[in-house]
Amino acid sequence: TKPQLMKIMISGAPASGKGTQCELITKKYGLVHIAAGDLLRAEVAAGSENGKRAKEYMEKGELVPNEIVVMMVKDRLLQPDSQENGWLLDGYPRSSSQAKALEDLGIHPDLFILLDVPEEILVDRVVGRRLDPVTGRIYHLKYSPPETEEIASRLTQRFDDTEEKVKLRLQTHNQNVEDVLSIYKDVTVKINGSAPKEDVFVQIDTALAGLHEQKKATLASV
Ligand code: AP5
């Protein structure tokens, strides 16, 4: 990736708002959004062997084995669009071995965004979440309702979005988060993710705008 392009990672507990903020970030900054969970769900939907195996872990809220996830994300990161526009990596890495796989390729983020949301808010966000299969947009019945009846009638729910499963996903997250944070602590910015989504974006946008300016200045001085 060219040095002037932005390389961003976003992390946080299940339903902390990663996907929602990624929609806002890509709209403004044109980065390529690479979500490990979306890549896995596409594989599940395609019914491939990897997809079938991945689903067993996703249903239990556990991490899918590295031999499935690592190649999938690496391939996507190395595609021309990610290399030409910069990237926004969502939900990866989730362990020190996944981070190491990136370091081995010389891939290091400029910024690691950590969305901080108290656990009691997360369950409410998960059970109300709905997805639009046509546009891929994320909705919430209470916090981000669909704009039209037509959209409302076609919304779907994720197979792992139940109260029981989000608790398992949260357990997995809590077991792994410190390992990953320790690797990226020099570039981490912690964002309060419990505010309305527009207010969360203002905080992220401030950090990204600062980085953008810094990159422009470095480029001009070369
Ligand atoms: P993944 O798809 O990444 O799920 P997750 O981490 O649990 O995160 P979510 O997608 O549930 O939430 P989000 O933070 O994007 O929240 P959203 O913006 O939608 O992973 C799924 C599974 O795949 C894992 O369990 C694992 O098995 C596997 N996997 C994934 N990555 C892996 C990896 N690297 N290695 C191994 N396995 C991996 O928001 C949630 C809801 O809240 C929405 O309804 C939204 O409208 C609403 N909302 C968002 N922001 C706000 C706000 N500020 N105020 C009010 N409501 C809000």
Side-chain angles (χ1 to χ4, degrees):
T1 320
K2 297 186 199 110
Q4 68 270 31
L5 296 173
M6 295 212 274
K7 296 169 287 173
I8 311 295
M9 289 178 181
I10 186 161
S11 87
S16 55
K18 301 182 288 296
T20 300
Q21 294 304 319
C22 286
E23 283 180 1
L24 299 170
I25 296 168
T26 49
K27 199 161 132 200
K28 176 151 183 189
Y29 290 94
L31 304 175
V32 174
H33 177 211
I34 304 174
D38 288 349
L39 294 175
L40 286 166
R41 278 183 289 279
E43 207 60 42
V44 172
S48 67
E49 274 314 307
N50 274 347
K52 284 182 196 143
R53 243 188 103 209
K55 192 170 183 197
E56 290 171 25
Y57 292 86
M58 295 167 85
E59 297 234 313
K60 291 186 279 183
E62 291 173 8
L63 293 186
V64 171
N66 277 352
E67 68 253 34
I68 297 177
V69 182
V70 172
M71 274 304 280
M72 204 179 262
V73 172
K74 263 194 204 170
D75 281 353
R76 189 64 194 86
L77 265 175
L78 296 174
Q79 302 225 337
D81 62 339
S82 315
Q83 296 298 309
E84 279 154 24
N85 300 297
W87 43 261
L88 173 60
L89 195 49
D90 166 2
Y92 188 99
R94 289 193 202 220
S95 62
S96 40
S97 57
Q98 291 182 1
K100 185 169 181 307
L102 293 184
E103 295 291 322
D104 288 348
L105 290 173
I107 296 175
H108 195 76
D110 299 311
L111 202 65
F112 184 91
I113 301 170
L114 174 67
L115 290 177
D116 187 29
V117 178
E119 292 194 5
E120 59 271 20
I121 296 184
L122 299 172
V123 174
D124 192 31
R125 285 198 186 172
V126 154
V127 295
R129 170 166 46 194
R130 296 293 183 276
L131 301 170
D132 182 348
V134 176
T135 61
R137 284 201 57 193
I138 304 163
Y139 290 95
H140 190 284
L141 296 179
K142 198 166 13 160
Y143 307 119
S144 209
E147 297 86 355
T148 64
E149 268 304 312
E150 191 190 347
I151 298 174
S153 67
R154 67 185 186 218
L155 294 181
T156 61
Q157 218 177 347
R158 255 168 60 175
F159 62 81
D160 57 351
D161 270 354
T162 61
E163 186 168 344
E164 175 209 353
K165 283 185 179 154
V166 75
K167 288 191 173 146
L168 299 173
R169 282 153 60 196
L170 193 56
Q171 244 173 39
T172 304
H173 170 78
N174 290 339
Q175 276 159 13
N176 295 298
V177 63
E178 289 304 329
D179 280 358
V180 176
L181 276 180
S182 68
I183 297 170
Y184 297 114
K185 58 175 181 296
D186 57 329
V187 288
T188 295
V189 52
K190 193 167 164 182
I191 302 285
N192 169 11
S194 48
K197 69 175 181 184
E198 295 79 10
D199 299 348
V200 176
F201 182 65
V202 169
Q203 300 174 64
I204 293 180
D205 195 19
T206 304
L208 289 178
L211 174 67
H212 195 64
E213 283 308 308
Q214 206 182 313
K215 289 204 164 247
K216 263 196 346 214
T218 318
L219 197 66
S221 70
V222 181

